[in-house]
Amino acid sequence: MNDTVTLEFDINDFVEEFTHCFTGECRVNVLPVLHRIGFVSTQSADLSALLAIILEVMQQPLRMQRGMLMLYDRHSDTIFIHESFGLTDEEKGRGIYAPGEGITGKVVESGKAIVVARLHENSDFLDRTQAHADRGRANASFICVPIVRAQKVLGTICAERVYMSRRLLEQDVKLLATIAAMIAPVVDLYLIENIDKVRLENENRRLKSALKRRFKPSNIIGNSKPMQQVYEHIRKVAGARATVLILGESGVGKELVASAIHYNSPYAEGPFVKSNCAAFPDNLIESELFGHERGSFTGAVATHKGCFEQADGGTIFLDEVGELSLANQAKLLRVLQERTFKRIGGVKPIKVDLRIITATNRNLAAMVEEGTFREDLYYRLNVFCITIPPLRERGSDVITLADHFVTRYAAENGKSVKRISTPALNMLMSYHWPGNVRELENVIESAVILSEDGVIHSYDLPPSLQTSHESGTVNGFSLEDKLRAVEYEMIAEALKNNGGRVGEAAEELGLTRRMLGIRMQKHHISYKPFRSTSPLD
C-alpha cells in the first residue's frame, strides 16, 4: 500500500462494491444514510442537521476513530475545523491550516482527495491539533476528501481509522467523496450566509483554547516543594469566588498565577482585565479603574469605561495595589463592599459582577501599622492569600526554567542551542537572582544569542554571574578573563564526560595528567564531584 495516494472519483461508480463485505463490515448498510443526507440537503439545506448524520455514520458504521468537517475561509485564506468527533475543544481550536499546508491544505489546494496509508510515516502530516502527541495510532490511515462546488473548494471531510483491508479503505474513500459531493451546495450556502460569523466564532474558540492551555496551573514551570504548595492553593481557590491577594517579590510571576486562577474559575468565560496601579499617576488612576464621562475634566473628549466596567462578568487583576493612595484605597474599598461605583463625572451607579485579584511586592501588614494602607481594605483584600516564593528558594526549578527558556529563545532566534554546560549550570544555581524569574529569562535569552556551538557556556553568561561575589558586577571581560573562563569550562566538561577520571580527561584535552593537575589546582577544581555524574550530558 503506497504511503500517499491522490484520487479522483466518478461518484456513480461504486454502488456495486457496497454489496461486498470485508472484515465483517458491509457498506451496503450505509445506503439508507445516503438517502437521508440527500433528503435533508434538498429539503432544508440545514448544515447542522447534515453534519449530525455524517458524524454519526462516520463514528458507528464506518468505525472511524476521528472525523472532521473543515471549512475554507477564502477571505482570511485559512482552513479550520467546523465540526468533529474524537478531538477535545483545545485540539479542535488548534486545527487551523493554510492552503498547501499539511495534508488538509494540499487537498484544498489541489481539489483532489488524499489517502495516507500510515499516517505517522507521512512527511505532510503536521499534527497541528496535537491529538497524536502520544503516537498511539501509528498504524492508522487518514482520508481527506474535498468539498467542491462549481470548481471551488469549500472545505474537506477528513477521517482516521486503522484498516486491515485495502478494499475497505478504498470503499470508504469513495463513500466520503460521495457525501462531500452531496453536501457541497449546503456548505456553499452556509459559507455565503455565515462566513463572518464562522470566522469570528472560530477565532474566539482558538483564542480561548490557547489561553486555557497557557494559563492552567500545570503549565506554570517548576516542581519544587514551595511551588507545589502554590499549585495546591491555586487549585483550591480557582473554583471559588473569593477575592485573592498574591504576594511576592518583583519578577516571581504574580500575573501568571492570577491568570491561572481566572482561566480555571467560574469566571473563565468572561474577560481578564489587568491594571498596574503603579503605572498611573494618582490623578489618573481613578479614571483608569472606574472610567469617566465625556467632559468630566479637561481632555475627557469621550466617555471611557474603566477596568472594573471592562471586567464585568470576568476577573480584574490589580497589580502593585500597595501603590494606591489613601484616597483611591477608599474608592477601591467601596467597590469591594458594594460591587458598585460611579464614573468620574457620572451620577448613575454601575453594578458589576466580577472577581478581584490583587498583587503586591510590598508588606501590606507593615504599611497598615505605618498608616499608609487602610486596615479595612487590607482585610477585604486578604480573604485568600497566596505567597509566591522567590527563585532563590526554589532549588532545581532554576534549571527547569532555564531549560524552558533555552528551548523558547532558541526557536525564536533560529538557533540550535541544545543544552547548558555544567559550569554554567553551577553558576545559575549559585546566583541569588534578585530579579527572580524575569531576570533568569533575560539572562538565558542573552546567552542563547551569544552561544556559537549549540551549548550555553559559563562565558556566555553576564558579568554579574561571572564574579565570585553574588551581587558584584564588572563592565566587561578582559582577554585574560575570557581565556580563564574558557579553560575552566573545558576542564570541567572533560572531567564530566569521563566520570572524574583525570587521566582520561587529560587525554581528551591533549594534556599530560600532570599538566591537567596543575591547571585543576589553579582553578580549584576537584575530580571528586564528577565521579557521580554520568559520562554524557
Side-chain angles (χ1 to χ4, degrees):
M1 188 182 295
N2 294 330
D3 183 54
T4 303
V5 182
T6 304
L7 301 170
E8 294 182 80
F9 304 107
D10 177 353
I11 65 172
N12 298 309
D13 68 357
F14 64 90
V15 175
E16 180 180 344
E17 293 188 32
F18 284 179
T19 61
H20 301 283
C21 293
F22 301 95
T23 63
E25 300 181 66
C26 295
R27 291 299 179 247
V28 70
N29 294 333
V30 302
L31 292 178
V33 178
L34 295 180
H35 176 73
R36 287 173 58 200
I37 293 173
F39 179 80
V40 173
S41 62
T42 55
Q43 295 297 315
S44 65
D46 184 346
L47 184 60
S48 297
L50 281 175
L51 292 182
I53 299 171
I54 294 168
L55 296 179
E56 180 183 353
V57 76
M58 290 171 70
Q59 283 183 276
Q60 299 302 323
L62 302 190
R63 301 182 186 177
M64 300 295 184
Q65 294 158 332
R66 291 190 181 99
M68 295 160 283
L69 181 129
M70 307 189 72
L71 298 181
Y72 175 37
D73 175 9
R74 292 178 177 275
H75 179 77
S76 62
D77 210 30
T78 57
I79 309 155
F80 58 90
I81 300 173
H82 181 62
E83 289 292 347
S84 66
F85 67 87
L87 296 173
T88 66
D89 288 341
E90 289 185 6
E91 291 166 348
K92 184 178 175 182
R94 290 191 288 257
I96 300 176
Y97 302 83
E101 187 178 42
I103 299 170
T104 304
K106 291 185 183 303
V107 171
V108 170
E109 185 177 59
S110 66
K112 298 178 181 179
I114 291 180
V115 182
V116 178
R118 287 169 294 277
L119 189 56
H120 288 292
E121 295 177 8
N122 186 270
S123 59
D124 290 327
F125 174 57
L126 302 180
D127 193 21
R128 183 66 52 78
T129 64
Q130 298 177 24
H132 298 74
D134 59 357
R135 302 275 168 171
R137 296 192 176 99
N139 295 321
S141 299
F142 188 76
I143 304 169
C144 193
V145 300
I147 303 171
V148 183
R149 180 171 170 80
Q151 298 183 328
K152 180 174 67 174
V153 179
L154 309 173
T156 65
I157 298 176
C158 301
E160 174 189 334
R161 67 160 279 180
V162 175
Y163 285 93
M164 304 304 294
S165 164
R166 180 189 179 95
R167 188 167 184 182
L168 183 63
L169 170 61
E170 293 172 350
Q171 281 192 352
D172 283 352
V173 174
K174 293 176 181 179
L175 176 60
L176 292 181
T178 301
I179 292 173
M182 295 175 70
I183 69 171
V186 180
V187 174
D188 195 18
L189 180 63
Y190 180 85
L191 288 172
I192 292 171
E193 293 180 345
N194 298 279
I195 190 60
D196 289 334
K197 179 182 177 183
V198 167
R199 186 183 306 119
L200 289 173
E201 287 179 349
N202 179 65
E203 181 67 8
N204 185 49
R205 182 171 58 243
R206 184 187 66 80
L207 290 174
K208 284 184 176 180
S209 175
L211 286 169
K212 285 182 179 180
R213 291 195 313 276
R214 181 180 176 188
F215 293 116
K216 62 183 180 181
S218 59
N219 279 2
I220 300 176
I221 306 297
N223 295 304
S224 62
K225 188 173 181 180
M227 286 306 295
Q228 291 295 333
Q229 187 175 10
V230 171
Y231 300 153
E232 183 65 12
H233 285 165
I234 292 173
R235 184 188 67 80
K236 288 180 177 179
V237 78
R241 297 174 181 267
T243 300
V244 179
L245 174 63
I246 303 172
L247 302 177
E249 296 177 5
S250 178
V252 294
K254 295 187 289 292
E255 183 180 322
L256 187 61
V257 171
S259 301
I261 294 171
H262 168 72
Y263 287 106
N264 290 273
S265 76
Y267 293 98
E269 296 301 317
F272 179 62
V273 178
K274 300 168 283 187
S275 181
N276 189 323
C277 299
F280 296 89
D282 193 50
N283 60 334
L284 292 181
I285 190 65
E286 183 179 2
S287 173
E288 163 71 6
L289 296 180
F290 308 115
H292 60 255
E293 298 288 351
R294 178 181 179 184
S296 56
F297 55 84
T298 303
V301 296
T303 298
H304 167 67
K305 290 184 177 181
C307 291
F308 274 93
E309 197 168 349
Q310 295 172 36
D312 189 22
T315 301
I316 185 169
F317 173 55
L318 302 178
D319 200 4
E320 304 301 346
V321 70
E323 306 302 321
L324 287 175
S325 67
L326 287 169
N328 284 315
Q329 289 176 33
K331 295 168 185 174
L332 176 58
L333 177 63
R334 186 168 61 250
V335 179
L336 282 165
Q337 291 172 332
E338 303 172 5
R339 291 299 196 268
T340 60
F341 61 91
K342 294 179 183 178
R343 297 179 188 147
I344 298 175
V347 295
K348 181 181 178 182
I350 300 172
K351 189 171 183 63
V352 289
D353 175 24
L354 46 69
R355 182 180 207 161
I356 298 174
I357 302 176
T358 60
T360 183
N361 59 8
R362 305 280 295 273
N363 186 335
L364 294 186
M367 292 177 67
V368 170
E369 292 294 324
E370 296 166 0
T372 56
F373 199 86
R374 292 180 62 111
E375 184 177 17
D376 48 3
L377 177 59
Y378 173 65
Y379 288 119
R380 283 282 183 178
L381 296 178
N382 195 22
V383 175
F384 190 96
C385 182
I386 298 177
T387 300
I388 307 175
L391 186 56
R392 60 184 172 274
E393 296 178 4
R394 293 175 55 182
S396 62
D397 282 356
V398 173
I399 305 306
T400 306
L401 284 160
D403 287 338
H404 169 75
F405 293 135
V406 166
T407 302
R408 176 196 295 181
Y409 289 111
E412 286 187 9
N413 291 280
K415 301 194 71 171
S416 181
V417 181
K418 301 297 184 183
R419 65 185 182 93
I420 305 172
S421 72
T422 300
L425 288 175
N426 291 337
M427 292 172 65
L428 294 175
M429 288 295 293
S430 62
Y431 186 58
H432 72 309
W433 298 111
N436 291 294
V437 179
R438 188 180 297 125
E439 182 184 9
L440 174 62
E441 182 175 1
N442 293 340
V443 164
I444 296 300
E445 182 178 10
S446 173
V448 167
I449 294 170
L450 291 172
S451 175
E452 296 180 341
D453 60 355
V455 179
I456 291 179
H457 298 284
S458 57
Y459 48 80
D460 294 321
L461 300 177
S464 58
L465 275 72
Q466 301 284 352
T467 60
S468 57
H469 300 289
E470 289 179 340
S471 59
T473 58
V474 293
N475 291 327
F477 281 130
S478 67
L479 176 60
E480 195 62 35
D481 292 332
K482 182 85 170 181
L483 291 173
R484 199 161 35 240
V486 171
E487 185 176 66
Y488 175 90
E489 175 94 17
M490 292 181 68
I491 293 171
E493 284 291 284
L495 287 169
K496 180 182 179 182
N497 292 340
N498 293 282
R501 293 181 288 276
V502 178
E504 294 178 19
E507 184 178 349
E508 179 180 319
L509 294 169
L511 301 172
T512 65
R513 184 187 180 97
R514 179 176 175 277
M515 290 174 62
L516 177 57
I518 292 172
R519 298 191 186 202
M520 287 171 61
Q521 187 175 10
K522 180 178 76 170
H523 291 287
H524 306 288
I525 300 174
S526 170
Y527 68 88
K528 292 180 180 179
F530 299 95
R531 286 290 192 189
S532 59
T533 60
S534 56
L536 297 176
D537 191 1

